[in-house]
Amino acid sequence: MSGAHDGLDTALADPWTVWLGARERRPLHLPEYRRAAVLVGLTREVEARVLLTVRSADLPTHKGQISFPGGSLERGETPVQAALREAHEEVELDPAQVTVLGELDDVFTPAGFHVTPVLARIPAQPALVLTAEVAQLLMPTLADLRAAPLTRELRTLPDGTRVPLYRYPWQGHDIWGMTARVLHDLLSDGPA
């Protein structure tokens, strides 16, 4: 039987949805930080790929860094709405082609952003278009990232808190910072 519930049935059968349901989400409460959301888009294929962008060198912040599509929440917007909007603005990912699976643990950046990663499924070969914010698209497989020689170092934040900084080298790219922290959670705890 097919119909209006096909997307929901697909999401419920997805191993990532099962994984999300088995863990307790860790939200943050950082009222002094700017709220943002990113779309952690995994392709719908056996060897899932994750959608990453290389930010344009012309942007005011995070120039040239590898990131998930995302940005600040607009007034009245939820993290899911913001992640879908930003992915459409940055790479023209059609929100109708996205199946949202749920929200991952909140993360923060030293630059003052409180970020909610939104885990979602996207088409195996999404029709994407680079906008002025994006210099390049990257679509590594989760298997490639798991096999990458992960490095971990401790950094001290201005308040004295020590946090791990992860780095994933992939095909000449250095994936680090908040993006690597979210990937580390997915790769170390998520379904194989």
Side-chain angles (χ1 to χ4, degrees):
M1 179 173 147
S2 64
H5 297 289
D6 286 348
L8 179 60
D9 293 342
T10 301
L12 292 174
D14 193 295
W16 288 97
T17 303
V18 174
W19 174 72
L20 282 171
R23 48 193 319 260
E24 186 174 327
R25 184 176 177 281
R26 293 183 299 243
L28 293 174
H29 180 70
L30 301 169
E32 69 280 8
Y33 281 56
R34 198 159 133 194
R35 289 300 316 269
V38 296
L39 185 77
V40 182
L42 302 178
T43 58
R44 294 180 182 107
E45 52 192 323
V46 173
E47 195 168 341
R49 297 179 177 277
V50 62
L51 173 62
L52 299 171
T53 65
V54 179
R55 292 175 55 84
S56 170
D58 299 329
L59 294 173
T61 60
H62 312 294
K63 299 174 185 195
Q65 291 182 7
I66 297 171
S67 65
F68 299 106
S72 296
L73 271 66
E74 293 181 353
R75 176 180 220 102
E77 200 171 41
T78 68
V80 169
Q81 291 167 333
L84 292 172
R85 176 184 51 76
E86 286 284 344
H88 186 260
E89 288 175 6
E90 292 179 22
V91 295
E92 295 189 12
L93 178 62
D94 180 359
Q97 298 294 308
V98 177
T99 302
V100 173
L101 303 177
E103 295 177 0
L104 300 170
D105 294 344
D106 287 349
V107 292
F108 65 92
T109 70
F113 285 94
H114 167 182
V115 182
T116 300
V118 176
L119 186 64
R121 285 292 191 175
I122 62 174
Q125 295 183 346
L128 303 175
V129 177
L130 301 183
T131 63
E133 294 182 44
V134 178
Q136 184 181 1
L137 286 175
L138 304 177
M139 300 274 301
T141 66
L142 295 182
D144 284 348
L145 293 173
R146 280 188 177 106
L150 170 69
T151 61
R152 180 183 183 266
E153 58 189 78
L154 288 177
R155 289 281 173 98
T156 304
L157 299 178
D159 69 358
T161 305
R162 308 247 319 147
V163 296
L165 175 72
Y166 301 103
R167 289 182 182 275
Y168 289 91
W170 182 75
Q171 295 187 359
H173 297 282
D174 183 21
I175 304 169
W176 64 281
M178 187 225 48
T179 303
R181 192 170 31 213
V182 172
L183 284 172
H184 183 264
D185 288 346
L186 285 178
L187 299 172
S188 60
D189 295 336

